[in-house]
Amino acid sequence: GVLSSSVVVAIGYVALGWTLTYLAVAARARRPEMPRLLVYLPMIAGILQALATVLSALATNLAISDFLGGDRSVDTADEVTQSGLGVFAQLLGLPGALGLALGLVLIALNAMRVGLLTRFMGVLGIITGALQILPFSGPLPVVQSFWLLMLSLLFSGRWAGGGPPARRT
């Protein structure tokens, strides 16, 4: 169950990276001075974060099964969180999380500047990016979910009033 839920979360990270890449390509087409790195950053960061999520769950499952199969002492219980695969997953997740946060902030800002996002959606995207790395027990899923839901309405053309003028063209 834990592994399957981590796979679903990983798919979500890749989907977030793809969505941000789509928005970055559209913003860069309208604003060529936007750095080309911002087009690739969210997809790479989303894949890194997805790998880190799955590897972390796998490392935890392996460490717990080793603990339950061996002597159940306090020393071996402390080693559950210190496995090599778990540490590697944490190190892999750090640039992924930072890349997604940076991508969210900069892409939302640039998309707002060129008129692809409304001011509300741009500011909410920047807040969502900041919440990715601020220590409020992880990203606030309500804010991120709301932003992604509103972004899907904007992408599909179902935004109230048809969306921003640049989006219509």
Side-chain angles (χ1 to χ4, degrees):
V2 172
L3 279 176
S4 60
S5 69
S6 71
V7 168
V8 170
V9 170
I11 291 170
Y13 280 125
V14 171
L16 176 63
W18 181 83
T19 302
L20 288 174
T21 299
Y22 176 79
L23 188 59
V25 167
R28 190 165 195 293
R30 294 183 170 275
R31 190 167 193 256
E33 59 268 7
M34 183 176 142
R36 182 179 286 280
L37 175 67
L38 283 182
V39 173
Y40 303 109
L41 178 68
M43 197 65 207
I44 294 168
I47 290 171
L48 285 175
Q49 191 70 17
L51 285 172
T53 301
V54 172
L55 288 177
S56 178
L58 184 65
T60 302
N61 278 351
L62 290 173
I64 288 173
S65 69
D66 287 347
F67 171 73
L68 293 176
D71 65 340
R72 298 178 187 168
S73 66
V74 174
D75 292 334
T76 57
D78 286 338
E79 294 174 4
V80 167
T81 60
Q82 312 242 332
S83 71
L85 186 59
V87 171
F88 176 72
Q90 289 176 353
L91 290 175
L92 192 62
L94 184 63
L98 290 175
L100 276 177
L102 182 68
L104 258 165
V105 169
L106 294 177
I107 291 169
L109 178 66
N110 282 296
M112 182 176 62
R113 281 181 180 165
V114 298
L116 291 173
L117 293 179
T118 63
R119 183 167 302 277
F120 171 74
M121 285 296 293
V123 170
L124 193 61
I126 292 168
I127 291 170
T128 301
L131 289 176
Q132 289 285 326
I133 55 172
L134 291 177
F136 294 125
S137 69
L140 292 177
V142 173
V143 176
Q144 186 178 21
S145 298
F146 178 76
W147 186 74
L148 288 171
L149 177 67
M150 292 297 111
L151 195 63
S152 68
L153 289 175
L154 189 65
F155 283 173
S156 66
R158 295 193 170 116
W159 189 264
R167 187 78 194 153
R168 283 184 242 134
T169 59

